[in-house]
Amino acid sequence: MKSKKKILVTGGAGFIGSHLCSRLLKEGNEVICLDNFFTGSKDNVKHLLDDTNFELVRHDVTFPLYVEVDQIYNLACPASPIHYQFDPVQTTKTSVHGAINMLGLAKRTRARILQASTSEVYGDPEVHPQPESYFGKVNPVGIRSCYDEGKRCAETLFFDYWRQHKVAIRVIRIFNTYGPNMHPNDGRVVSNFIVQALKGQDITIYGDGSQTRSFQYVDDLIDGMIKMMENQEGLIGPVNLGNPDEFTIKALAEKVLEMIPESKSKIVYLPLPSDDPCRRKPDISLAKEKLNWEPKIKLNEGLKKTIDYFRAL
Ligand code: NAD
Ligand code: UDP
């Protein structure tokens, strides 16, 4: 039997964090869910509030935190371009000061700490698909930089705390993930298209829709995250976690419309935001080899579950 651990999940009331909290509790752990509710909500974790092993704390990671824990999953940070560009200075602070505070906590408590990094560290990549060894092509002064450079700096801090202070780190780079508990106004493409199709609103493709993304269903990500945290081989990463099935944004729009046949929505084309990456697809050889992990849920199956969730809202 696995031993019960005390686990802190920052950003735990967000989309991915709420799934992670549920899973960690189901596995018999105690979970402290920390969130400032900027993009997350109590609704995402309300089914957990009666569990005595669950504690919900309102706190901003840019301020120090004093708790005793065995593990930390550091997810706090808005992830949708619309939300992370709303207050870009706060976004960088959340990534950088948040990392420093959580790494300091890990150092004091000797907790193992996992950073939710992102495929955005590769920027608009010239290498395709992206392996972990690729250093990326990132604009340091653009509208996405607060997120991309904040996350890159957080990775640097993780590796320096590991080299300098021997903190037990794990770093994953998450590729586009979707599923239930995404905010209906989240602004990311999968939730936008589904909500638009269900409401009969125009489906908004930015640019000509030829840019690509590779979409991972949230349950697959949670499996990979826990495998990475628990791996005993000393694999610290960075490790890509994503689904390598690549689609154009236009193909995604068509698929969503096909799966919501009653929809009266039409596709419209809007300007492409600056620095929007042209293509993205993870090379997941490392996760396959070292973690024995690969995603199992195909886009159709994941979209169906996500459409059912938004339909029920
Ligand atoms: P989300 O916006 O739903 O969740 C982020 C959570 O962090 C929210 O609950 C928000 O309120 C909280 N938060 C934001 N700033 C905070 C602060 N200063 N202090 C405390 N809490 C704060 O997004 P998500 O998709 O669940 O993403 C979770 C993590 O995974 C993020 O770090 C994100 O960068 C990373 N990630 C996500 C994806 C994806 O496709 N979903 C891809 C790459 C990386
Ligand atoms: N996108 C789109 N319409 C939308 C939302 C997003 O065409 O309503 C595009 C966006 O320009 C990008 C892709 O879909 O090319 C993925 O966008 P998202 O914000 O989901 O994530 P990211 O750009 O961070 O991968």
Side-chain angles (χ1 to χ4, degrees):
M1 205 185 96
K2 282 188 197 162
S3 62
K4 180 174 180 170
K5 297 187 200 76
K6 197 167 199 179
I7 306 179
L8 171 67
V9 179
T10 78
F15 157 51
I16 295 173
S18 57
H19 287 273
L20 181 62
C21 289
S22 299
R23 201 34 201 284
L24 294 171
L25 283 168
K26 208 173 275 172
E27 291 184 355
N29 300 293
E30 262 185 81
V31 172
I32 303 175
C33 167
L34 177 150
D35 211 291
N36 71 347
F37 304 117
F38 174 54
T39 51
S41 81
K42 280 188 198 161
D43 267 353
N44 283 341
V45 290
K46 67 170 186 283
H47 60 294
L48 307 176
L49 290 173
D50 289 337
D51 190 328
T52 47
N53 284 321
F54 183 72
E55 206 177 328
L56 179 61
V57 179
R58 181 189 288 266
H59 182 83
D60 187 319
V61 284
T62 61
F63 296 95
L65 176 78
Y66 295 89
V67 289
E68 304 305 316
V69 286
D70 304 309
Q71 290 185 346
I72 304 166
Y73 286 86
N74 188 36
L75 275 66
C77 186
S80 147
I82 293 180
H83 292 120
Y84 71 63
Q85 287 163 22
F86 173 76
D87 185 350
V89 173
Q90 174 66 11
T91 299
T92 303
K93 279 189 187 169
T94 293
S95 278
V96 177
H97 294 189
I100 292 170
N101 288 329
M102 293 308 114
L103 284 161
L105 177 64
K107 185 178 160 212
R108 182 179 64 76
T109 57
R110 297 206 168 86
R112 190 178 285 185
I113 179 166
L114 178 143
Q115 168 69 355
S117 190
T118 168
S119 52
E120 286 285 323
V121 300
Y122 302 121
D124 190 5
E126 295 144 310
V127 173
H128 195 77
Q130 294 82 54
E132 291 84 353
S133 55
Y134 177 50
F135 293 163
K137 184 184 147 216
V138 177
N139 175 358
V141 295
I143 55 170
R144 294 175 86 101
S145 312
C146 58
Y147 183 75
D148 299 11
E149 297 291 19
K151 288 283 189 180
R152 284 168 69 96
C153 183
E155 286 199 10
T156 308
L157 284 161
F158 267 69
F159 277 80
D160 282 334
Y161 267 77
W162 170 67
R163 278 185 286 259
Q164 200 176 328
H165 299 301
K166 312 281 176 282
V167 169
I169 63 157
R170 301 283 186 266
V171 175
I172 56 167
R173 292 182 178 153
I174 304 171
F175 283 65
N176 295 66
T177 303
Y178 68 97
N181 292 7
M182 290 185 94
H183 195 281
N185 299 326
D186 179 87
R188 280 177 282 185
V189 70
V190 174
S191 47
N192 261 16
F193 286 0
I194 293 176
V195 171
Q196 288 164 343
L198 289 173
K199 288 185 170 171
Q201 295 167 347
D202 289 344
I203 306 273
T204 54
I205 291 184
Y206 305 156
D208 62 6
S210 64
Q211 71 271 38
T212 70
R213 294 293 187 272
S214 307
F215 300 102
Q216 158 173 247
Y217 188 67
V218 64
D219 290 358
D220 282 332
L221 171 65
I222 301 297
D223 287 344
M225 277 177 116
I226 293 176
K227 278 195 164 181
M228 182 61 183
M229 178 64 110
E230 295 296 336
N231 94 77
Q232 300 300 333
E233 282 96 76
L235 176 70
I236 59 173
V239 174
N240 288 339
L241 294 181
N243 189 320
D245 292 345
E246 184 182 9
F247 296 86
T248 64
I249 295 303
K250 186 158 184 276
L252 176 73
E254 288 164 355
K255 197 175 262 294
V256 168
L257 282 175
E258 203 183 283
M259 293 180 74
I260 307 179
E262 74 279 15
S263 176
K264 305 236 171 340
S265 297
K266 306 226 159 7
I267 292 178
V268 297
Y269 293 86
L270 301 178
L272 188 68
S274 66
D275 294 333
D276 199 294
C278 295
R279 51 191 192 156
R280 183 183 290 153
K281 168 182 164 141
D283 177 336
I284 56 164
S285 322
L286 185 63
K288 269 188 185 167
E289 188 199 321
K290 302 277 185 195
L291 300 175
N292 192 25
W293 173 89
E294 66 183 309
K296 298 191 177 71
I297 298 166
K298 293 280 171 204
L299 185 62
N300 272 30
E301 190 188 345
L303 279 181
K304 187 180 174 309
K305 292 176 198 249
T306 313
I307 291 168
D308 290 347
Y309 167 79
F310 282 111
R311 227 189 257 284
L313 274 188

